Amino acid sequence: MADPTVSSSDEQGTYTARDLGTLRNASPSRAEMAFIGLAGVFIGALVITNAISAKVFELFGRELTAGIIAYPITFLVTDLISEIYGRKRANTLVGAGFIVSVFVTAIVWIAVQAPMAEGSPVTQEAYNQVFGFMPGIVFGSMVAYLTAQFIDVQMFEFWRNLTGGKHMWLRNNGSTWVSQLVDTTLVVTIALVIWPTVDGNPGTEPLAWGVWQSLVIGQYLFKIAIAAIDTPIFYVASYALKRWIQNDPLLAEANEVPATETAAG
């Protein structure tokens, strides 16, 4: 007779085992591997966004920061995690992303403050231009990121519940449209309007209304265009990941154990 206190996952050595010894020797399930992969893409997109945001480029007559190339990927990933793993896992990843943002910002600040050696291939001025972001930009980005990501998760679940799990395109785009508007408005307002007003630095001036409006609209429209493009990617990725996870051999083995034991008993 099988021990009722021991789950089939414990006996099969999956990552859900109770004791650390079994956990260390367990084979990762497909659900675990997929989550780790998505989390890696999310954190990577978030970090690279901060690294390349110093560059401004023009697209269709609009000035855009290079950071928005990678940043919309974070919303696609949180939508996928919400769809497959639920809101709690998505919120956990958003919180982890915020911690990573703080950590990376601290490391970059230390690197900028470190004295430059004479033989350095880059000058201190050039290094500061690339990595020496204004505190207001960093602060505005993190506030906007944290707020928009949580709104994205909540709106995704709202549309999912409202439609009874149908119309995936609506919850994917609906959540992104709202969260990206919040993100764009917050980061531009905090970093380029509020911060220059309160930082006491005579070299910084807040954006004029016309410039603020143009930048917010340009950034937002670009993000919405990217969101529309990623809708088919969301459909395909969601479908493929669900099938891959559900066909996990470890799950099949775990489901066979109780039946085998019952027959033996």
Side-chain angles (χ1 to χ4, degrees), residues 60-87:
F60 301 120
R62 298 263 184 197
E63 290 186 350
L64 306 169
T65 62
I68 66 171
I69 298 173
Y71 194 51
I73 297 175
T74 64
F75 290 90
L76 172 61
V77 172
T78 52
D79 284 350
L80 284 171
I81 291 178
S82 293
E83 175 70 17
I84 299 172
Y85 298 92
R87 183 172 60 185

mmCIF file of all heavy atoms in Angstrom, residues 60-87:
data_model
loop_
_atom_site.group_PDB
_atom_site.id
_atom_site.type_symbol
_atom_site.label_atom_id
_atom_site.label_comp_id
_atom_site.label_asym_id
_atom_site.label_seq_id
_atom_site.Cartn_x
_atom_site.Cartn_y
_atom_site.Cartn_z
ATOM 1 N N PHE A 60 9.468 58.047 -38.755
ATOM 2 C CA PHE A 60 8.315 58.754 -39.322
ATOM 3 C C PHE A 60 8.164 60.162 -38.732
ATOM 4 O O PHE A 60 7.061 60.611 -38.404
ATOM 5 C CB PHE A 60 7.030 57.963 -39.099
ATOM 6 C CG PHE A 60 7.061 56.582 -39.703
ATOM 7 C CD1 PHE A 60 6.903 55.459 -38.904
ATOM 8 C CD2 PHE A 60 7.271 56.412 -41.066
ATOM 9 C CE1 PHE A 60 6.933 54.189 -39.457
ATOM 10 C CE2 PHE A 60 7.298 55.140 -41.635
ATOM 11 C CZ PHE A 60 7.129 54.022 -40.822
ATOM 12 N N GLY A 61 9.301 60.816 -38.563
ATOM 13 C CA GLY A 61 9.286 62.179 -38.076
ATOM 14 C C GLY A 61 9.125 62.327 -36.581
ATOM 15 O O GLY A 61 9.047 63.445 -36.075
ATOM 16 N N ARG A 62 9.106 61.219 -35.849
ATOM 17 C CA ARG A 62 8.940 61.256 -34.393
ATOM 18 C C ARG A 62 10.238 60.844 -33.715
ATOM 19 O O ARG A 62 10.914 59.910 -34.150
ATOM 20 C CB ARG A 62 7.825 60.309 -33.963
ATOM 21 C CG ARG A 62 6.452 60.673 -34.521
ATOM 22 C CD ARG A 62 5.677 61.447 -33.520
ATOM 23 N NE ARG A 62 4.332 61.735 -33.984
ATOM 24 C CZ ARG A 62 3.565 62.663 -33.452
ATOM 25 N NH1 ARG A 62 4.035 63.398 -32.456
ATOM 26 N NH2 ARG A 62 2.349 62.890 -33.898
ATOM 27 N N GLU A 63 10.597 61.554 -32.641
ATOM 28 C CA GLU A 63 11.772 61.179 -31.869
ATOM 29 C C GLU A 63 11.386 60.124 -30.843
ATOM 30 O O GLU A 63 10.433 60.306 -30.080
ATOM 31 C CB GLU A 63 12.364 62.411 -31.168
ATOM 32 C CG GLU A 63 13.003 63.404 -32.123
ATOM 33 C CD GLU A 63 13.713 64.529 -31.398
ATOM 34 O OE1 GLU A 63 13.533 64.627 -30.166
ATOM 35 O OE2 GLU A 63 14.440 65.287 -32.038
ATOM 36 N N LEU A 64 12.134 59.035 -30.842
ATOM 37 C CA LEU A 64 11.860 57.922 -29.943
ATOM 38 C C LEU A 64 13.140 57.480 -29.255
ATOM 39 O O LEU A 64 14.221 57.559 -29.845
ATOM 40 C CB LEU A 64 11.265 56.742 -30.718
ATOM 41 C CG LEU A 64 10.022 57.016 -31.563
ATOM 42 C CD1 LEU A 64 9.730 55.828 -32.467
ATOM 43 C CD2 LEU A 64 8.827 57.342 -30.684
ATOM 44 N N THR A 65 13.037 57.018 -28.036
ATOM 45 C CA THR A 65 14.200 56.466 -27.352
ATOM 46 C C THR A 65 14.393 55.020 -27.784
ATOM 47 O O THR A 65 13.426 54.284 -28.010
ATOM 48 C CB THR A 65 14.033 56.527 -25.822
ATOM 49 O OG1 THR A 65 12.912 55.723 -25.444
ATOM 50 C CG2 THR A 65 13.816 57.959 -25.355
ATOM 51 N N ALA A 66 15.648 54.605 -27.868
ATOM 52 C CA ALA A 66 15.946 53.243 -28.319
ATOM 53 C C ALA A 66 15.414 52.192 -27.360
ATOM 54 O O ALA A 66 15.208 51.037 -27.741
ATOM 55 C CB ALA A 66 17.456 53.077 -28.491
ATOM 56 N N GLY A 67 15.158 52.585 -26.120
ATOM 57 C CA GLY A 67 14.668 51.632 -25.130
ATOM 58 C C GLY A 67 13.328 51.003 -25.476
ATOM 59 O O GLY A 67 13.042 49.875 -25.063
ATOM 60 N N ILE A 68 12.504 51.705 -26.258
ATOM 61 C CA ILE A 68 11.188 51.158 -26.562
ATOM 62 C C ILE A 68 11.247 50.012 -27.567
ATOM 63 O O ILE A 68 10.227 49.358 -27.815
ATOM 64 C CB ILE A 68 10.226 52.248 -27.081
ATOM 65 C CG1 ILE A 68 10.697 52.798 -28.434
ATOM 66 C CG2 ILE A 68 10.090 53.369 -26.090
ATOM 67 C CD1 ILE A 68 9.674 53.699 -29.081
ATOM 68 N N ILE A 69 12.421 49.751 -28.133
ATOM 69 C CA ILE A 69 12.558 48.603 -29.023
ATOM 70 C C ILE A 69 12.400 47.308 -28.230
ATOM 71 O O ILE A 69 11.722 46.373 -28.671
ATOM 72 C CB ILE A 69 13.924 48.632 -29.732
ATOM 73 C CG1 ILE A 69 14.044 49.878 -30.609
ATOM 74 C CG2 ILE A 69 14.129 47.368 -30.568
ATOM 75 C CD1 ILE A 69 15.418 50.058 -31.216
ATOM 76 N N ALA A 70 13.019 47.256 -27.065
ATOM 77 C CA ALA A 70 12.988 46.035 -26.256
ATOM 78 C C ALA A 70 11.889 46.039 -25.198
ATOM 79 O O ALA A 70 11.396 44.976 -24.820
ATOM 80 C CB ALA A 70 14.347 45.832 -25.569
ATOM 81 N N TYR A 71 11.499 47.206 -24.735
ATOM 82 C CA TYR A 71 10.579 47.271 -23.597
ATOM 83 C C TYR A 71 9.231 46.601 -23.840
ATOM 84 O O TYR A 71 8.713 45.933 -22.941
ATOM 85 C CB TYR A 71 10.377 48.731 -23.184
ATOM 86 C CG TYR A 71 9.725 48.892 -21.835
ATOM 87 C CD1 TYR A 71 10.230 48.218 -20.729
ATOM 88 C CD2 TYR A 71 8.619 49.711 -21.655
ATOM 89 C CE1 TYR A 71 9.646 48.367 -19.487
ATOM 90 C CE2 TYR A 71 8.028 49.856 -20.416
ATOM 91 C CZ TYR A 71 8.546 49.190 -19.335
ATOM 92 O OH TYR A 71 7.965 49.325 -18.105
ATOM 93 N N PRO A 72 8.602 46.726 -25.025
ATOM 94 C CA PRO A 72 7.312 46.047 -25.230
ATOM 95 C C PRO A 72 7.387 44.534 -25.076
ATOM 96 O O PRO A 72 6.364 43.886 -24.819
ATOM 97 C CB PRO A 72 6.941 46.436 -26.673
ATOM 98 C CG PRO A 72 7.629 47.736 -26.897
ATOM 99 C CD PRO A 72 8.932 47.607 -26.164
ATOM 100 N N ILE A 73 8.577 43.954 -25.219
ATOM 101 C CA ILE A 73 8.721 42.506 -25.047
ATOM 102 C C ILE A 73 8.341 42.102 -23.633
ATOM 103 O O ILE A 73 7.796 41.014 -23.408
ATOM 104 C CB ILE A 73 10.162 42.078 -25.369
ATOM 105 C CG1 ILE A 73 10.485 42.367 -26.840
ATOM 106 C CG2 ILE A 73 10.382 40.596 -25.072
ATOM 107 C CD1 ILE A 73 11.925 42.100 -27.223
ATOM 108 N N THR A 74 8.629 42.970 -22.662
ATOM 109 C CA THR A 74 8.303 42.636 -21.273
ATOM 110 C C THR A 74 6.801 42.456 -21.088
ATOM 111 O O THR A 74 6.357 41.616 -20.309
ATOM 112 C CB THR A 74 8.820 43.717 -20.306
ATOM 113 O OG1 THR A 74 8.145 44.965 -20.567
ATOM 114 C CG2 THR A 74 10.315 43.923 -20.468
ATOM 115 N N PHE A 75 5.992 43.235 -21.807
ATOM 116 C CA PHE A 75 4.543 43.118 -21.687
ATOM 117 C C PHE A 75 4.046 41.846 -22.364
ATOM 118 O O PHE A 75 3.098 41.215 -21.892
ATOM 119 C CB PHE A 75 3.866 44.354 -22.273
ATOM 120 C CG PHE A 75 4.072 45.583 -21.437
ATOM 121 C CD1 PHE A 75 5.170 46.403 -21.661
ATOM 122 C CD2 PHE A 75 3.192 45.919 -20.428
ATOM 123 C CE1 PHE A 75 5.379 47.534 -20.892
ATOM 124 C CE2 PHE A 75 3.393 47.036 -19.645
ATOM 125 C CZ PHE A 75 4.485 47.854 -19.873
ATOM 126 N N LEU A 76 4.667 41.464 -23.480
ATOM 127 C CA LEU A 76 4.304 40.209 -24.131
ATOM 128 C C LEU A 76 4.570 39.032 -23.206
ATOM 129 O O LEU A 76 3.748 38.108 -23.083
ATOM 130 C CB LEU A 76 5.094 40.055 -25.436
ATOM 131 C CG LEU A 76 4.966 38.706 -26.157
ATOM 132 C CD1 LEU A 76 3.526 38.440 -26.565
ATOM 133 C CD2 LEU A 76 5.904 38.649 -27.353
ATOM 134 N N VAL A 77 5.715 39.058 -22.527
ATOM 135 C CA VAL A 77 6.076 37.955 -21.641
ATOM 136 C C VAL A 77 5.134 37.883 -20.440
ATOM 137 O O VAL A 77 4.682 36.794 -20.059
ATOM 138 C CB VAL A 77 7.541 38.092 -21.169
ATOM 139 C CG1 VAL A 77 7.854 37.051 -20.100
ATOM 140 C CG2 VAL A 77 8.487 37.931 -22.348
ATOM 141 N N THR A 78 4.815 39.019 -19.827
ATOM 142 C CA THR A 78 3.898 38.983 -18.691
ATOM 143 C C THR A 78 2.509 38.515 -19.111
ATOM 144 O O THR A 78 1.811 37.842 -18.341
ATOM 145 C CB THR A 78 3.792 40.364 -18.005
ATOM 146 O OG1 THR A 78 3.484 41.363 -18.979
ATOM 147 C CG2 THR A 78 5.084 40.717 -17.299
ATOM 148 N N ASP A 79 2.084 38.832 -20.342
ATOM 149 C CA ASP A 79 0.807 38.325 -20.845
ATOM 150 C C ASP A 79 0.848 36.808 -21.001
ATOM 151 O O ASP A 79 -0.114 36.106 -20.672
ATOM 152 C CB ASP A 79 0.464 38.980 -22.188
ATOM 153 C CG ASP A 79 -0.037 40.407 -22.027
ATOM 154 O OD1 ASP A 79 -0.296 40.819 -20.879
ATOM 155 O OD2 ASP A 79 -0.148 41.125 -23.045
ATOM 156 N N LEU A 80 1.967 36.293 -21.512
ATOM 157 C CA LEU A 80 2.108 34.850 -21.662
ATOM 158 C C LEU A 80 2.090 34.149 -20.295
ATOM 159 O O LEU A 80 1.442 33.107 -20.131
ATOM 160 C CB LEU A 80 3.412 34.519 -22.395
ATOM 161 C CG LEU A 80 3.423 34.747 -23.902
ATOM 162 C CD1 LEU A 80 4.838 34.600 -24.452
ATOM 163 C CD2 LEU A 80 2.477 33.777 -24.601
ATOM 164 N N ILE A 81 2.783 34.723 -19.338
ATOM 165 C CA ILE A 81 2.817 34.117 -18.012
ATOM 166 C C ILE A 81 1.448 34.198 -17.347
ATOM 167 O O ILE A 81 1.010 33.250 -16.681
ATOM 168 C CB ILE A 81 3.905 34.791 -17.150
ATOM 169 C CG1 ILE A 81 5.286 34.419 -17.690
ATOM 170 C CG2 ILE A 81 3.777 34.370 -15.683
ATOM 171 C CD1 ILE A 81 6.430 35.044 -16.955
ATOM 172 N N SER A 82 0.735 35.311 -17.523
ATOM 173 C CA SER A 82 -0.620 35.421 -16.985
ATOM 174 C C SER A 82 -1.539 34.384 -17.615
ATOM 175 O O SER A 82 -2.373 33.782 -16.932
ATOM 176 C CB SER A 82 -1.179 36.829 -17.236
ATOM 177 O OG SER A 82 -0.481 37.806 -16.503
ATOM 178 N N GLU A 83 -1.389 34.169 -18.912
ATOM 179 C CA GLU A 83 -2.233 33.223 -19.645
ATOM 180 C C GLU A 83 -1.977 31.785 -19.196
ATOM 181 O O GLU A 83 -2.913 30.993 -19.037
ATOM 182 C CB GLU A 83 -1.982 33.361 -21.145
ATOM 183 C CG GLU A 83 -2.713 32.358 -22.006
ATOM 184 C CD GLU A 83 -4.207 32.576 -22.053
ATOM 185 O OE1 GLU A 83 -4.678 33.677 -21.696
ATOM 186 O OE2 GLU A 83 -4.932 31.632 -22.438
ATOM 187 N N ILE A 84 -0.706 31.439 -18.987
ATOM 188 C CA ILE A 84 -0.340 30.053 -18.707
ATOM 189 C C ILE A 84 -0.247 29.757 -17.216
ATOM 190 O O ILE A 84 -0.731 28.714 -16.747
ATOM 191 C CB ILE A 84 0.998 29.720 -19.393
ATOM 192 C CG1 ILE A 84 0.863 29.887 -20.919
ATOM 193 C CG2 ILE A 84 1.448 28.305 -19.058
ATOM 194 C CD1 ILE A 84 2.170 29.774 -21.666
ATOM 195 N N TYR A 85 0.333 30.678 -16.440
ATOM 196 C CA TYR A 85 0.625 30.408 -15.038
ATOM 197 C C TYR A 85 -0.279 31.163 -14.063
ATOM 198 O O TYR A 85 -0.302 30.824 -12.875
ATOM 199 C CB TYR A 85 2.088 30.752 -14.724
ATOM 200 C CG TYR A 85 3.077 29.942 -15.502
ATOM 201 C CD1 TYR A 85 3.579 30.395 -16.719
ATOM 202 C CD2 TYR A 85 3.522 28.705 -15.046
ATOM 203 C CE1 TYR A 85 4.493 29.651 -17.449
ATOM 204 C CE2 TYR A 85 4.436 27.947 -15.765
ATOM 205 C CZ TYR A 85 4.915 28.430 -16.968
ATOM 206 O OH TYR A 85 5.816 27.680 -17.684
ATOM 207 N N GLY A 86 -0.972 32.198 -14.535
ATOM 208 C CA GLY A 86 -1.860 32.939 -13.652
ATOM 209 C C GLY A 86 -1.253 34.235 -13.148
ATOM 210 O O GLY A 86 -0.059 34.518 -13.313
ATOM 211 N N ARG A 87 -2.102 35.034 -12.512
ATOM 212 C CA ARG A 87 -1.716 36.380 -12.090
ATOM 213 C C ARG A 87 -0.652 36.380 -11.001
ATOM 214 O O ARG A 87 0.218 37.254 -10.971
ATOM 215 C CB ARG A 87 -2.965 37.133 -11.594
ATOM 216 C CG ARG A 87 -2.702 38.567 -11.201
ATOM 217 C CD ARG A 87 -4.001 39.290 -10.906
ATOM 218 N NE ARG A 87 -4.735 38.655 -9.820
ATOM 219 C CZ ARG A 87 -5.956 39.034 -9.423
ATOM 220 N NH1 ARG A 87 -6.558 40.013 -10.045
ATOM 221 N NH2 ARG A 87 -6.541 38.417 -8.428
#
